[in-house]
Protein backbone atom coordinates (compact mmCIF):
# COMPACT_ATOMS: atom_id res chain seq x y z
CA UNK A 1 0.00 0.00 0.00
CA UNK A 2 2.76 2.36 1.00
CA UNK A 3 4.59 1.38 -2.16
CA UNK A 4 1.60 2.37 -4.29
CA UNK A 5 1.29 5.72 -2.59
CA UNK A 6 4.97 6.19 -3.29
CA UNK A 7 4.44 5.62 -7.00
CA UNK A 8 1.64 8.18 -7.16
CA UNK A 9 3.72 10.74 -5.30
CA UNK A 10 6.67 10.12 -7.58
CA UNK A 11 4.46 10.32 -10.69
CA UNK A 12 2.97 13.61 -9.51
CA UNK A 13 6.28 15.22 -8.57
CA UNK A 14 7.99 14.08 -11.79
CA UNK A 15 5.25 15.31 -14.13
CA UNK A 16 4.80 18.56 -12.19
CA UNK A 17 8.51 19.26 -12.36
CA UNK A 18 8.77 18.36 -16.07
CA UNK A 19 5.75 20.43 -17.00
CA UNK A 20 7.06 23.44 -15.08
CA UNK A 21 10.15 23.45 -17.30
CA UNK A 22 8.58 22.66 -20.66
CA UNK A 23 9.11 25.84 -22.60
CA UNK A 24 8.25 25.76 -26.26
CA UNK A 25 5.59 23.18 -26.86
CA UNK A 26 4.93 19.48 -26.62
CA UNK A 27 8.09 18.24 -28.28
CA UNK A 28 10.29 19.59 -25.51
CA UNK A 29 8.56 17.52 -22.84
CA UNK A 30 9.19 14.24 -24.71
CA UNK A 31 13.01 14.40 -24.27
CA UNK A 32 12.53 15.39 -20.63
CA UNK A 33 10.08 12.52 -20.03
CA UNK A 34 12.47 10.10 -21.73
CA UNK A 35 15.31 11.22 -19.48
CA UNK A 36 13.19 10.91 -16.33
CA UNK A 37 11.12 7.77 -16.93
CA UNK A 38 13.40 5.78 -19.25
CA UNK A 39 16.93 6.70 -18.13
CA UNK A 40 16.54 7.67 -14.46
CA UNK A 41 13.56 5.74 -13.07
CA UNK A 42 13.70 2.95 -15.72
CA UNK A 43 9.94 2.47 -15.53
CA UNK A 44 9.62 2.05 -19.29
CA UNK A 45 11.87 1.31 -22.27
CA UNK A 46 13.07 3.46 -25.16
CA UNK A 47 10.81 1.78 -27.74
CA UNK A 48 7.76 2.00 -25.50
CA UNK A 49 8.43 5.72 -24.96
CA UNK A 50 8.39 6.22 -28.74
CA UNK A 51 5.20 4.17 -29.09
CA UNK A 52 3.48 6.26 -26.43
CA UNK A 53 4.73 9.45 -28.09
CA UNK A 54 3.27 8.29 -31.40
CA UNK A 55 -0.13 7.78 -29.77
CA UNK A 56 0.09 11.11 -27.93
CA UNK A 57 0.99 12.88 -31.14
CA UNK A 58 -1.84 11.47 -33.20
CA UNK A 59 -4.58 12.04 -30.61
CA UNK A 60 -6.49 15.30 -30.16
CA UNK A 61 -5.33 17.79 -27.55
CA UNK A 62 -1.99 18.94 -26.18
CA UNK A 63 0.85 16.46 -26.75
CA UNK A 64 2.24 17.00 -23.25
CA UNK A 65 -1.10 16.17 -21.61
CA UNK A 66 -1.64 13.14 -23.85
CA UNK A 67 1.84 11.81 -23.15
CA UNK A 68 1.29 12.31 -19.42
CA UNK A 69 -1.99 10.36 -19.56
CA UNK A 70 -0.29 7.46 -21.37
CA UNK A 71 2.66 7.39 -18.98
CA UNK A 72 0.43 7.54 -15.90
CA UNK A 73 -1.80 4.80 -17.29
CA UNK A 74 1.19 2.62 -18.17
CA UNK A 75 2.78 2.94 -14.73
CA UNK A 76 -0.27 2.96 -12.43
CA UNK A 77 -3.56 2.58 -14.35
CA UNK A 78 -6.41 5.10 -14.51
CA UNK A 79 -5.57 6.62 -11.13
CA UNK A 80 -2.00 7.07 -12.31
CA UNK A 81 -3.30 8.86 -15.40
CA UNK A 82 -5.35 11.23 -13.23
CA UNK A 83 -2.29 11.98 -11.11
CA UNK A 84 -0.10 12.74 -14.12
CA UNK A 85 -2.80 14.94 -15.70
CA UNK A 86 -2.94 16.99 -12.52
CA UNK A 87 0.85 17.19 -12.37
CA UNK A 88 1.06 18.35 -15.99
CA UNK A 89 -1.76 20.88 -15.89
CA UNK A 90 -1.04 22.58 -12.56
CA UNK A 91 2.23 24.38 -13.46
CA UNK A 92 0.86 26.24 -16.51
CA UNK A 93 -2.39 26.83 -14.63
CA UNK A 94 -0.61 28.49 -11.70
CA UNK A 95 1.83 30.43 -13.89
CA UNK A 96 -0.87 31.83 -16.16
CA UNK A 97 -3.18 32.67 -13.27
CA UNK A 98 -0.45 34.82 -11.76
CA UNK A 99 0.64 36.34 -15.07
CA UNK A 100 -2.89 37.20 -16.23
CA UNK A 101 -3.06 39.68 -13.34
CA UNK A 102 -0.09 41.78 -14.47
CA UNK A 103 0.59 40.55 -17.95
CA UNK A 104 1.74 43.72 -19.71
CA UNK A 105 4.50 44.21 -17.14
CA UNK A 106 5.65 40.62 -17.70
CA UNK A 107 5.54 40.82 -21.48
CA UNK A 108 7.65 44.00 -21.62
CA UNK A 109 10.19 43.03 -18.96
CA UNK A 110 13.68 43.05 -20.54
CA UNK A 111 15.22 40.64 -18.01
CA UNK A 112 12.49 38.06 -18.61
CA UNK A 113 12.94 38.45 -22.35
CA UNK A 114 16.73 38.10 -22.20
CA UNK A 115 16.59 34.94 -20.09
CA UNK A 116 13.94 33.37 -22.33
CA UNK A 117 15.98 34.20 -25.43
CA UNK A 118 19.01 32.53 -23.84
CA UNK A 119 16.91 29.51 -22.93
CA UNK A 120 15.90 28.97 -26.57
CA UNK A 121 19.43 27.89 -27.44
CA UNK A 122 19.44 25.43 -24.53
CA UNK A 123 16.09 24.00 -25.62
CA UNK A 124 17.41 23.52 -29.17
CA UNK A 125 20.47 21.71 -27.77
CA UNK A 126 18.36 19.40 -25.57
CA UNK A 127 16.21 18.41 -28.54
CA UNK A 128 19.28 17.93 -30.76
CA UNK A 129 20.81 15.64 -28.13
CA UNK A 130 17.70 13.44 -27.97
CA UNK A 131 17.42 13.31 -31.75
CA UNK A 132 21.04 12.15 -31.99
CA UNK A 133 20.37 9.37 -29.45
CA UNK A 134 17.08 8.17 -30.92
CA UNK A 135 18.19 8.63 -34.52
CA UNK A 136 21.33 6.56 -34.05
CA UNK A 137 19.17 3.80 -32.49
CA UNK A 138 17.07 3.71 -35.67
CA UNK A 139 20.19 3.65 -37.87
CA UNK A 140 21.75 0.87 -35.80
CA UNK A 141 18.86 -1.48 -36.62
CA UNK A 142 20.01 -1.29 -40.25
CA UNK A 143 16.42 -1.52 -41.42
CA UNK A 144 15.98 0.19 -44.80
CA UNK A 145 12.23 0.84 -44.38
CA UNK A 146 12.76 2.56 -41.01
CA UNK A 147 15.48 4.77 -42.48
CA UNK A 148 13.33 5.73 -45.45
CA UNK A 149 10.42 6.52 -43.12
CA UNK A 150 12.63 8.66 -40.88
CA UNK A 151 14.13 10.72 -43.72
CA UNK A 152 10.84 10.93 -45.63
CA UNK A 153 8.84 12.03 -42.58
CA UNK A 154 11.45 14.68 -41.81
CA UNK A 155 11.32 16.14 -45.33
CA UNK A 156 7.51 16.01 -45.36
CA UNK A 157 7.12 17.87 -42.10
CA UNK A 158 10.06 20.27 -42.16
CA UNK A 159 10.13 21.33 -45.81
CA UNK A 160 6.60 20.67 -47.02
CA UNK A 161 4.77 21.40 -43.72
CA UNK A 162 2.41 18.49 -44.35
CA UNK A 163 -0.15 17.93 -41.58
CA UNK A 164 1.33 15.61 -38.95
CA UNK A 165 -1.81 13.47 -38.95
CA UNK A 166 -1.30 12.39 -42.57
CA UNK A 167 2.39 11.67 -41.98
CA UNK A 168 1.57 9.48 -38.99
CA UNK A 169 -1.13 7.64 -40.95
CA UNK A 170 1.07 6.95 -43.99
CA UNK A 171 4.07 5.85 -41.92
CA UNK A 172 1.90 3.59 -39.74
CA UNK A 173 0.56 1.91 -42.88
CA UNK A 174 4.09 1.51 -44.25
CA UNK A 175 5.11 -0.24 -41.04
CA UNK A 176 2.08 -2.54 -41.23
CA UNK A 177 2.77 -3.31 -44.91
CA UNK A 178 6.38 -4.17 -44.11
CA UNK A 179 5.30 -6.69 -41.46
CA UNK A 180 2.66 -8.24 -43.73
CA UNK A 181 5.20 -8.69 -46.55
CA UNK A 182 7.68 -10.22 -44.13
CA UNK A 183 5.03 -12.64 -42.87
CA UNK A 184 4.14 -13.69 -46.44
CA UNK A 185 7.80 -14.35 -47.18
CA UNK A 186 8.07 -16.27 -43.94
CA UNK A 187 5.11 -18.49 -44.81
CA UNK A 188 6.42 -19.14 -48.33
CA UNK A 189 10.01 -19.69 -47.38
CA UNK A 190 9.28 -21.87 -44.37
CA UNK A 191 12.07 -21.58 -41.83
CA UNK A 192 14.50 -19.80 -44.18
CA UNK A 193 13.79 -16.34 -42.59
CA UNK B 1 -24.20 30.11 -18.09
CA UNK B 2 -20.89 31.76 -18.91
CA UNK B 3 -19.09 28.80 -17.28
CA UNK B 4 -20.95 26.40 -19.53
CA UNK B 5 -19.99 28.47 -22.58
CA UNK B 6 -16.33 28.50 -21.51
CA UNK B 7 -16.40 24.74 -20.98
CA UNK B 8 -17.96 24.05 -24.37
CA UNK B 9 -15.59 26.40 -26.25
CA UNK B 10 -12.47 24.86 -24.75
CA UNK B 11 -13.90 21.38 -25.13
CA UNK B 12 -14.03 22.01 -28.90
CA UNK B 13 -10.51 23.42 -28.88
CA UNK B 14 -9.25 20.32 -27.06
CA UNK B 15 -11.20 18.03 -29.35
CA UNK B 16 -10.09 19.40 -32.69
CA UNK B 17 -6.49 20.44 -32.16
CA UNK B 18 -4.59 17.43 -33.43
CA UNK B 19 -0.83 17.65 -33.63
CA UNK B 20 -0.61 20.02 -30.71
CA UNK B 21 0.96 23.42 -30.22
CA UNK B 22 0.66 25.66 -33.25
CA UNK B 23 -2.27 23.68 -34.66
CA UNK B 24 -4.39 24.92 -31.76
CA UNK B 25 -3.83 28.65 -32.33
CA UNK B 26 -6.35 29.24 -35.16
CA UNK B 27 -8.98 27.23 -33.25
CA UNK B 28 -8.46 29.26 -30.09
CA UNK B 29 -8.61 32.49 -32.04
CA UNK B 30 -11.86 31.46 -33.70
CA UNK B 31 -13.57 30.59 -30.40
CA UNK B 32 -12.16 33.31 -28.16
CA UNK B 33 -11.87 36.32 -30.50
CA UNK B 34 -14.27 35.77 -33.41
CA UNK B 35 -17.17 33.86 -31.87
CA UNK B 36 -17.38 35.03 -28.26
CA UNK B 37 -15.40 38.30 -28.21
CA UNK B 38 -13.79 37.34 -24.90
CA UNK B 39 -10.48 38.89 -26.01
CA UNK B 40 -9.57 41.56 -28.56
CA UNK B 41 -7.12 40.56 -31.29
CA UNK B 42 -4.33 42.49 -29.55
CA UNK B 43 -5.02 40.74 -26.25
CA UNK B 44 -5.01 37.46 -28.13
CA UNK B 45 -1.61 38.20 -29.69
CA UNK B 46 -0.30 39.07 -26.22
CA UNK B 47 -1.69 35.81 -24.95
CA UNK B 48 0.17 33.82 -27.63
CA UNK B 49 3.40 35.67 -26.80
CA UNK B 50 2.98 34.93 -23.10
CA UNK B 51 2.02 31.32 -23.81
CA UNK B 52 5.23 30.88 -25.78
CA UNK B 53 7.26 32.45 -22.99
CA UNK B 54 5.81 30.33 -20.19
CA UNK B 55 5.84 26.58 -19.64
CA UNK B 56 2.98 24.36 -20.68
CA UNK B 57 0.83 23.69 -23.73
CA UNK B 58 -0.66 26.72 -25.51
CA UNK B 59 -4.21 25.41 -25.22
CA UNK B 60 -3.94 25.02 -21.42
CA UNK B 61 -2.32 28.45 -21.10
CA UNK B 62 -5.12 30.05 -23.13
CA UNK B 63 -7.81 28.26 -21.16
CA UNK B 64 -6.41 29.56 -17.89
CA UNK B 65 -5.85 33.08 -19.20
CA UNK B 66 -9.25 33.49 -20.85
CA UNK B 67 -11.12 31.70 -18.06
CA UNK B 68 -9.66 33.89 -15.32
CA UNK B 69 -10.38 37.12 -17.20
CA UNK B 70 -13.98 36.17 -17.98
CA UNK B 71 -15.07 34.40 -14.79
CA UNK B 72 -12.21 34.41 -12.26
CA UNK B 73 -10.63 31.26 -10.83
CA UNK B 74 -13.74 29.08 -11.37
CA UNK B 75 -13.69 30.15 -15.02
CA UNK B 76 -10.03 29.16 -15.31
CA UNK B 77 -10.68 25.75 -13.78
CA UNK B 78 -13.75 25.04 -15.93
CA UNK B 79 -11.96 26.09 -19.15
CA UNK B 80 -8.91 23.98 -18.37
CA UNK B 81 -11.03 20.93 -17.55
CA UNK B 82 -12.98 21.45 -20.78
CA UNK B 83 -9.76 21.64 -22.72
CA UNK B 84 -8.28 18.36 -21.44
CA UNK B 85 -11.56 16.44 -21.24
CA UNK B 86 -11.55 15.11 -24.85
CA UNK B 87 -7.89 14.06 -24.49
CA UNK B 88 -8.64 12.16 -21.30
CA UNK B 89 -11.41 10.11 -22.88
CA UNK B 90 -9.79 9.43 -26.25
CA UNK B 91 -6.24 8.84 -25.03
CA UNK B 92 -7.40 6.57 -22.19
CA UNK B 93 -9.30 4.53 -24.75
CA UNK B 94 -6.28 4.36 -27.06
CA UNK B 95 -4.03 3.48 -24.13
CA UNK B 96 -6.32 0.61 -23.21
CA UNK B 97 -6.35 -0.64 -26.81
CA UNK B 98 -2.59 -0.24 -27.11
CA UNK B 99 -1.72 -2.18 -23.95
CA UNK B 100 -4.23 -4.90 -24.81
CA UNK B 101 -3.16 -5.44 -28.40
CA UNK B 102 0.45 -4.31 -28.56
CA UNK B 103 1.73 -7.87 -28.88
CA UNK B 104 -0.19 -8.39 -32.14
CA UNK B 105 2.14 -8.59 -35.13
CA UNK B 106 0.16 -6.06 -37.15
CA UNK B 107 0.18 -3.54 -34.29
CA UNK B 108 3.91 -4.16 -33.93
CA UNK B 109 4.26 -3.35 -37.62
CA UNK B 110 2.35 -0.09 -37.34
CA UNK B 111 4.41 0.92 -34.30
CA UNK B 112 7.66 0.03 -36.07
CA UNK B 113 6.62 2.48 -38.78
CA UNK B 114 5.68 5.17 -36.25
CA UNK B 115 8.89 5.12 -34.17
CA UNK B 116 11.18 6.54 -36.88
CA UNK B 117 8.39 9.01 -37.77
CA UNK B 118 8.37 10.41 -34.25
CA UNK B 119 12.17 10.79 -34.34
CA UNK B 120 11.74 12.76 -37.57
CA UNK B 121 9.00 14.96 -36.08
CA UNK B 122 11.11 15.75 -33.02
CA UNK B 123 14.06 16.53 -35.30
CA UNK B 124 11.92 18.87 -37.35
CA UNK B 125 10.64 20.71 -34.26
CA UNK B 126 14.21 20.96 -32.96
CA UNK B 127 15.49 22.37 -36.24
CA UNK B 128 12.70 25.00 -36.24
CA UNK B 129 13.71 26.14 -32.74
CA UNK B 130 17.38 26.10 -33.79
CA UNK B 131 16.61 28.29 -36.81
CA UNK B 132 14.57 30.65 -34.64
CA UNK B 133 17.30 31.01 -32.04
CA UNK B 134 20.16 31.46 -34.56
CA UNK B 135 18.46 33.57 -37.26
CA UNK B 136 15.47 35.04 -35.41
CA UNK B 137 11.91 35.49 -36.65
CA UNK B 138 12.89 35.97 -40.31
CA UNK B 139 14.25 32.44 -40.62
CA UNK B 140 17.28 30.95 -42.33
CA UNK B 141 19.48 33.32 -44.36
CA UNK B 142 22.85 32.95 -46.08
CA UNK B 143 23.91 36.40 -44.91
CA UNK B 144 26.36 35.71 -42.02
CA UNK B 145 25.48 39.04 -40.39
CA UNK B 146 22.02 37.81 -39.48
CA UNK B 147 23.48 35.00 -37.34
CA UNK B 148 23.03 35.44 -33.60
CA UNK B 149 26.52 34.53 -32.34
CA UNK B 150 25.44 34.40 -28.68
CA UNK B 151 22.91 31.70 -29.55
CA UNK B 152 25.45 29.72 -31.58
CA UNK B 153 27.86 29.84 -28.65
CA UNK B 154 25.18 28.82 -26.12
CA UNK B 155 23.95 26.00 -28.37
CA UNK B 156 27.47 24.65 -28.92
CA UNK B 157 28.28 24.74 -25.21
CA UNK B 158 24.96 23.14 -24.27
CA UNK B 159 25.23 20.29 -26.77
CA UNK B 160 28.84 19.66 -25.73
CA UNK B 161 27.87 19.45 -22.05
CA UNK B 162 24.87 17.22 -22.84
CA UNK B 163 26.88 14.76 -24.94
CA UNK B 164 29.86 14.67 -22.59
CA UNK B 165 28.31 14.52 -19.09
CA UNK B 166 24.66 13.64 -19.77
CA UNK B 167 23.28 15.96 -17.08
CA UNK B 168 19.60 16.59 -16.43
CA UNK B 169 18.40 18.60 -19.49
CA UNK B 170 16.47 20.99 -17.25
CA UNK B 171 19.73 22.30 -15.77
CA UNK B 172 21.16 22.81 -19.25
CA UNK B 173 18.08 24.80 -20.28
CA UNK B 174 18.16 26.91 -17.12
CA UNK B 175 21.93 27.43 -17.34
CA UNK B 176 21.62 28.52 -20.95
CA UNK B 177 18.85 30.93 -19.91
CA UNK B 178 20.92 32.47 -17.11
CA UNK B 179 24.21 32.75 -19.06
CA UNK B 180 22.42 33.91 -22.21
CA UNK B 181 20.24 36.35 -20.28
CA UNK B 182 23.31 37.90 -18.63
CA UNK B 183 25.09 38.29 -21.99
CA UNK B 184 22.04 39.80 -23.71
CA UNK B 185 21.57 42.31 -20.88
CA UNK B 186 25.23 43.36 -21.08
CA UNK B 187 25.39 43.92 -24.83
Amino acid sequence: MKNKKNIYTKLFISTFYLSAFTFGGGYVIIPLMKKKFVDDLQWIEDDEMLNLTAIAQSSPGAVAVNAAILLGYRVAGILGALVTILGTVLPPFITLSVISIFYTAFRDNIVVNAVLKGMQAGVAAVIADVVLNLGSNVLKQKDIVSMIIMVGAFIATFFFKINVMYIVLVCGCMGAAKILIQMKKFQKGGDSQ
Amino acid sequence: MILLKLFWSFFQIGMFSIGGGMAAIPLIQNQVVNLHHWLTLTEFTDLITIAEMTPGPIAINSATFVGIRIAGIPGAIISTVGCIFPSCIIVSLLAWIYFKFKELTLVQGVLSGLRPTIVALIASAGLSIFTLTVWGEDGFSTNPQTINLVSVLLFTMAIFILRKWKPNPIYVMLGSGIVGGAIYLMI
Side-chain angles (χ1 to χ4, degrees):
Chain A
M1 202 58 214
K2 181 144 193 296
N3 207 0
K4 264 214 152 143
K5 227 171 134 189
N6 250 335
I7 287 185
Y8 294 133
T9 321
K10 225 172 206 169
L11 270 178
F12 180 79
I13 293 174
S14 311
T15 43
F16 186 92
Y17 177 69
L18 294 185
S19 175
F21 288 102
T22 310
F23 293 87
Y27 281 114
V28 183
I29 206 169
I30 302 295
L32 299 182
M33 279 180 167
K34 176 186 138 38
K35 175 86 186 162
K36 184 83 202 168
F37 293 101
V38 180
D39 302 344
D40 295 355
L41 295 172
Q42 302 191 328
W43 281 352
I44 59 171
E45 282 163 19
D46 238 357
D47 269 7
E48 183 116 77
M49 185 72 216
L50 282 177
N51 292 346
L52 296 184
T53 309
I55 300 174
Q57 179 59 46
S58 34
S59 311
V63 177
V65 177
N66 295 350
I69 296 173
L70 288 162
L71 260 171
Y73 188 89
R74 164 72 176 75
V75 174
I78 290 282
L79 204 56
L82 287 176
V83 168
T84 50
I85 291 172
L86 203 63
T88 307
V89 169
L90 273 183
F93 185 85
I94 296 168
T95 321
L96 260 285
S97 299
V98 174
I99 287 175
S100 67
I101 299 164
F102 45 91
Y103 82 100
T104 39
F106 178 82
R107 187 196 52 193
D108 301 332
N109 188 305
I110 38 169
V111 179
V112 171
N113 273 303
V115 170
L116 289 167
K117 182 103 189 67
M119 228 169 189
Q120 258 179 12
V123 171
V126 167
I127 299 184
D129 177 49
V130 167
V131 169
L132 288 175
N133 289 336
L134 294 176
S136 63
N137 276 353
V138 173
L139 294 183
K140 255 185 240 153
Q141 292 168 359
K142 299 207 191 314
D143 179 282
I144 286 289
V145 180
S146 294
M147 289 182 205
I148 293 173
I149 288 179
M150 190 162 76
V151 175
F154 180 80
I155 294 171
T157 178
F158 190 78
F159 293 106
F160 296 105
K161 315 268 175 233
I162 293 171
N163 190 323
V164 171
M165 256 223 322
Y166 300 129
I167 300 177
V168 166
L169 270 176
V170 170
C171 295
C173 291
M174 280 174 77
K178 184 186 84 180
I179 287 281
L180 288 178
I181 291 168
Q182 275 175 0
M183 273 165 68
K184 262 215 175 118
K185 268 192 196 151
F186 182 72
Q187 278 166 356
K188 265 189 200 159
D191 49 6
S192 68
Q193 129 79 26
Chain B
M1 217 34 228
I2 185 72
L3 289 181
L4 210 63
K5 265 191 190 153
L6 280 171
F7 180 86
W8 181 232
S9 281
F10 281 98
F11 182 90
Q12 291 176 56
I13 292 169
M15 182 79 214
F16 295 112
S17 57
I18 295 176
M22 300 300 134
I25 292 179
L27 287 166
I28 301 169
Q29 186 181 356
N30 186 40
Q31 286 289 339
V32 169
V33 182
N34 304 356
L35 279 177
H36 295 290
H37 309 290
W38 285 325
L39 297 182
T40 65
L41 193 58
T42 318
E43 284 177 317
F44 180 74
T45 315
D46 285 346
L47 164 62
I48 297 303
T49 317
I50 292 170
E52 299 240 328
M53 289 161 75
T54 51
I58 279 187
I60 306 284
N61 287 339
S62 318
T64 310
F65 188 83
V66 174
I68 215 166
R69 306 203 86 187
I70 302 302
I73 294 284
I77 294 173
I78 291 286
S79 310
T80 307
V81 171
C83 186
I84 58 174
F85 201 73
S87 295
C88 293
I89 306 290
I90 294 168
V91 176
S92 299
L93 198 71
L94 286 175
W96 182 79
I97 295 172
Y98 165 71
F99 291 117
K100 198 164 164 69
F101 297 108
K102 68 174 172 180
E103 303 303 332
L104 288 183
T105 325
L106 193 62
V107 178
Q108 284 292 325
V110 172
L111 292 170
S112 81
L114 291 183
R115 283 192 294 265
T117 315
I118 294 303
V119 177
L121 294 179
I122 298 177
S124 164
L127 197 54
S128 304
I129 297 180
F130 180 78
T131 317
L132 178 71
T133 184
V134 173
W135 286 282
E137 303 286 344
D138 298 331
F140 175 78
S141 146
T142 46
N143 180 358
Q145 279 179 329
T146 56
I147 292 177
N148 180 339
L149 288 176
V150 180
S151 277
V152 176
L153 180 77
L154 286 171
F155 177 85
T156 316
M157 271 166 47
I159 194 93
F160 177 77
I161 291 170
L162 279 165
R163 301 302 293 176
K164 179 121 197 191
W165 291 292
K166 310 199 182 306
N168 188 330
I170 288 172
Y171 299 138
V172 176
M173 278 157 54
L174 283 180
S176 153
I178 292 165
V179 175
I183 299 175
Y184 285 123
L185 288 176
M186 279 190 291
I187 53 176

